[in-house]
Amino acid sequence: NAGVMQNPRHLVRRRGQEARLRCSPMKGHSHVYWYRQLPEEGLKFMVYLQKENIIDESGMPKERFSAEFPKEGPSILRIQQVVRGDSAAYFCASSNPWTSRTDTQYFGPGTRLTVL
Amino acid sequence: GQNIDQPTEMTATEGAIVQINCTYQTSGFNGLFWYQQHAGEAPTFLSYNVLDGLEEKGRFSSFLSRSKGYSYLLLKELQMKDSASYLCAVRSYTDKLIFGTGTRLQVFP
């Protein structure tokens, strides 16, 4: 009965490199959300996806960031040409509104990205 | 606009009761969640309110007043392990969660 899985747990990149963050939702969950948490700040919504569809990307920066949730495999958050300001904890959450009265989002352990 | 306010820090003594308040002004409301987050870890779900009133769950209770844009989380019989950040989040009509900055609770012996 695995929960939400994220990998890697820690990722170090140099400025200008690409970062790929992966999220496998809880078994039976079809909705995935990505949030970013900067040091000493609250969680900020980035994007909401269902299989093969982006539902809401209103929190995604306009450039360098993209997300996908393919029919098979994990959801991927991709950051191109990383800058120091991208250093943060990135959390993925999943839910299943069809089986949960509350449609609660359950969070993964996060990926801590450090940009040198 | 979207605005969720919680106190930044609170302290309490082991065995005591503490109430963490949250006020919100959001353009849509589809439920309010409380999460607990220990340092360096994932937020874990504590409670959910969508109708006015009190929801009780063991040592934790959560209250909601939609007309006042107000919620609180009540923690009873505090234990040292309750030292953590407590996050108030409003769900929008598009299902995204809007979080406050969190309340860091320190429990002392």
Side-chain angles (χ1 to χ4, degrees), chain B residues 28-95:
Chain B
F29 180 86
N30 191 20
L32 188 142
F33 292 81
W34 284 94
Y35 285 85
Q36 179 191 63
Q37 186 179 28
H38 285 98
E41 297 184 12
T44 55
F45 169 70
L46 288 178
S47 70
Y48 168 76
N49 295 72
V50 69
L51 300 175
D52 290 353
L54 189 69
E55 292 280 342
E56 295 186 84
K57 210 174 179 183
R59 294 190 299 117
F60 295 77
S61 304
S62 57
F63 171 84
L64 175 68
S65 169
R66 288 171 297 170
S67 61
K68 294 180 180 173
Y70 168 68
S71 174
Y72 68 72
L73 180 69
L74 193 71
L75 294 78
K76 301 176 190 172
E77 300 168 15
L78 279 172
Q79 302 174 9
M80 298 295 291
K81 67 178 182 179
D82 297 328
S83 293
S85 288
Y86 291 85
L87 315 180
C88 173
V90 170
R91 181 166 61 197
S92 73
Y93 288 130
T94 57
D95 291 334

Side-chain angles (χ1 to χ4, degrees), chain A residues 37-54:
Chain A
Q37 188 172 38
L38 293 167
E40 304 302 317
E41 291 190 18
L43 285 148
K44 298 278 192 261
F45 168 79
M46 299 182 75
V47 63
Y48 165 27
L49 310 106
Q50 296 175 21
K51 288 281 187 183
E52 300 182 284
N53 279 308
I54 296 175

Side-chain angles (χ1 to χ4, degrees), chain A residues 1-114:
Chain A
N1 193 18
V4 179
M5 310 285 283
Q6 289 187 252
N7 69 80
R9 295 290 304 276
H10 299 274
L11 182 61
V12 179
R13 286 285 178 266
R14 296 191 181 279
R15 279 180 298 168
Q17 291 185 318
E18 179 180 287
R20 278 184 182 238
L21 288 62
R22 292 174 184 76
C23 169
S24 296
M26 200 176 280
K27 188 177 179 181
H29 284 191
S30 56
H31 295 208
V32 165
Y33 309 79
W34 286 93
Y35 294 85
R36 176 165 64 176
Q37 188 172 38
L38 293 167
E40 304 302 317
E41 291 190 18
L43 285 148
K44 298 278 192 261
F45 168 79
M46 299 182 75
V47 63
Y48 165 27
L49 310 106
Q50 296 175 21
K51 288 281 187 183
E52 300 182 284
N53 279 308
I54 296 175
I55 307 303
D56 182 351
E57 57 181 346
S58 58
M60 288 280 268
K62 295 285 183 259
E63 297 176 348
R64 302 187 298 110
F65 285 72
S66 62
E68 62 176 5
F69 188 17
K71 189 176 180 182
E72 301 290 338
S75 175
I76 308 266
L77 179 68
R78 184 182 175 207
I79 312 172
Q80 294 178 290
Q81 300 173 339
V82 295
V83 301
R84 289 221 173 101
D86 297 333
S87 295
Y90 291 83
F91 289 96
C92 167
S94 73
S95 73
N96 185 345
W98 315 118
T99 59
S100 166
R101 177 183 66 84
T102 63
D103 192 20
T104 298
Q105 293 180 26
Y106 293 93
F107 283 79
T111 294
R112 275 143 190 89
L113 173 66
T114 302

